[in-house]
């Protein structure tokens, strides 16, 4: 398996623009997580899905952030409109079960100017 | 106060030294995770443990549930061990709460 795939790897955009980050989990994994990593706050959980259904989105910072999982092999994290404080590395991870090891994607480094 | 505290924040060692990184947590947990983040940014899960001790190669992770404390040990450290090591507590909600990480540098 290729592991968790994220795209793009780097994104530079201007404040106010819409940003869409993409993730393909490992085939067969029922859980998908979106994390954000910043120097100040470290890694934080934004949202996670089980069988394509959002289970906990309490970490989503505000209404500008939205996430979808239309099928078992694809998820998106959208920021609209983007702000400079959204600059961070966004990781997607997947796992077979909540009690199992999480496998992380390579991350998307987002810079909002 | 962060629910998961790691120490030290930064650690520099000479090749061959024995390394210990500590993690304390304030919440009840179902499991404690240790992750490694390479200089290039990729994150790899090293251990997941809920009791006792686990060993993989030169890495050993221990946990004391009563004291709410876990340690990650590296024996015979090597420059390729240089990375950020992150512990994460998995609580009743099953979500991971992360420490800020320990940056380890092993000099040849």
């Amino acid at each position: 398996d290729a592991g968790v795939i994220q795209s793009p790897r780097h994104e530079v955009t201007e404040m106010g623009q819409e940003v869409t980050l993409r993730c393909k989990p490992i085939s067969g994994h029922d859980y998908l997580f979106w994390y954000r990593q910043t120097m100040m706050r470290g890694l934080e959980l934004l949202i996670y899905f089980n069988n394509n259904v959002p289970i906990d989105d309490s970490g989503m910072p505000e209404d500008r952030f939205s996430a979808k999982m239309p099928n078992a092999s694809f998820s998106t994290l959208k920021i609209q409109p983007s702000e400079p404080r959204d600059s961070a590395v966004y990781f997607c991870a997947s796992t077979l079960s909540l009690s199992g090891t999480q496998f992380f994607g390579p991350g998307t480094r987002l810079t909002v100017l | 106060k962060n629910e998961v505290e790691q120490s030290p924040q930064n650690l520099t060692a000479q090749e061959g030294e024995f390394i210990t990184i500590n993690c304390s947590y304030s919440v009840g947990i179902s499991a404690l995770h240790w992750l490694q983040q390479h200089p290039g940014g990729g994150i790899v899960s090293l251990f997941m443990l809920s009791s006792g001790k686990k060993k993989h190669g030169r890495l050993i992770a221990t946990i004391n549930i009563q004291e709410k404390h876990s340690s990650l040990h590296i024996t015979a450290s090597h420059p390729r061990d240089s990375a950020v090591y992150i512990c994460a507590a998995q609580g009743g909600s099953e979500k991971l709460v992360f420490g800020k990480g320990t940056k380890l540098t092993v000099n040849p």
Side-chain angles (χ1 to χ4, degrees), chain A residues 35 37 40-45 48 56 58 91 98-102 104-106, chain B residues 33 35 37 40-45 48 86 90 93-100:
Chain A
Y35 295 102
Q37 186 179 39
M40 288 295 294
R41 299 172 67 92
L43 271 166
E44 301 174 286
L45 174 68
Y48 80 91
D56 188 332
S58 58
F91 288 97
L98 281 178
S99 60
T101 299
Q102 293 191 20
F104 286 76
Chain B
H33 298 247
L35 310 172
Q37 186 165 27
I43 297 176
V44 174
S45 179
M48 185 178 69
I86 303 168
Q90 187 169 15
S93 65
E94 302 296 346
K95 295 189 295 187
L96 293 185
V97 178
F98 297 88
K100 292 289 178 66

